[in-house]
Amino acid sequence: MTNELSIREATLADIATLVNHRRWMFEEMAALRGAQADTSEMAEAYSRYLAQHLGGIIRAWVVEEGGKIIASGAVLFYDWPPRPKDLTGRGALLHSVYTAPEYRRLGLARRIAQTMVEACRDLGLRTITLHASDAGRPLYESLGFNPTSEMRLTFEDDTTRQNS
């Protein structure tokens, strides 16, 4: 490993790596729970999504060493209703922060997260959310993120529908 690490905004040419990083992130989180994650369909869908939105409602950053991308993260910008202390009508979701295993504990995820937070601040956003893994939680808390009361309902398939 050299000391020549650089961070830059991702381009369409980086989509395959961004997709792989997101895929590996989910697979590693599942493995920690003793499970497996089938990420093939998600990877294909995320690739299409990035091709359509990267550079628009999604921006991503990568850390490179000698031209090899070793870490990445993305932010999705979205509209949402104004609320107390945030009248912007806009928010951001940080997601897909990943560092290759051999480069962990070097502050690369912190560097990417700080870059994304600054980009949001520069755009005048007031609220940024994310879903932290157990491993990532201390990093995000150190950057000022706080747990919220968010809840989620996920429809797994049509068998969850109830006929009335």
Side-chain angles (χ1 to χ4, degrees):
M1 177 171 33
T2 69
N3 290 329
E4 296 185 31
L5 300 176
S6 61
I7 189 167
R8 65 171 173 80
E9 193 160 348
T11 68
L12 293 174
D14 301 317
I15 287 176
T17 301
L18 295 171
V19 170
N20 281 335
H21 282 188
R22 183 170 171 84
R23 180 180 211 161
W24 298 334
M25 176 192 71
F26 280 114
E27 290 171 355
E28 289 177 17
M29 287 189 301
L32 289 172
R33 295 187 317 271
Q36 290 185 339
D38 181 3
T39 59
S40 57
E41 288 181 0
M42 181 276 310
E44 292 172 20
Y46 190 56
S47 181
R48 290 188 303 272
Y49 191 77
L50 287 176
Q52 182 177 1
H53 297 294
L54 189 63
I57 63 169
I58 291 186
R59 291 173 65 190
W61 284 264
V62 298
V63 175
E64 293 181 310
E65 179 187 50
K68 176 185 174 188
I69 297 173
I70 58 174
S72 63
V75 60
L76 167 69
F77 301 100
Y78 56 89
D79 293 334
W80 74 338
R83 53 192 265 166
K85 299 185 181 181
D86 185 352
L87 305 178
T88 65
R90 298 171 61 214
L93 173 70
L94 271 59
H95 65 91
S96 305
V97 177
Y98 182 83
T99 302
E102 63 272 24
Y103 292 93
R104 292 183 182 157
R105 313 298 306 163
L106 299 176
L108 302 182
R110 175 176 299 280
R111 193 169 166 190
I112 288 171
Q114 287 173 322
T115 299
M116 293 190 294
V117 166
E118 285 305 313
C120 293
R121 184 176 282 128
D122 290 347
L123 290 171
L125 299 179
R126 303 274 316 211
T127 304
I128 306 169
T129 59
L130 59 82
H131 297 211
S133 67
D134 290 341
R137 188 173 307 280
L139 163 66
Y140 300 116
E141 288 175 348
S142 76
L143 294 174
F145 286 84
N146 297 302
T148 67
S149 60
E150 179 178 283
M151 296 177 70
R152 176 178 302 144
L153 171 63
T154 302
F155 296 110
E156 297 296 331
D157 57 36
D158 286 339
T159 62
T160 60
R161 289 183 182 258
Q162 294 182 355
N163 295 329
S164 48

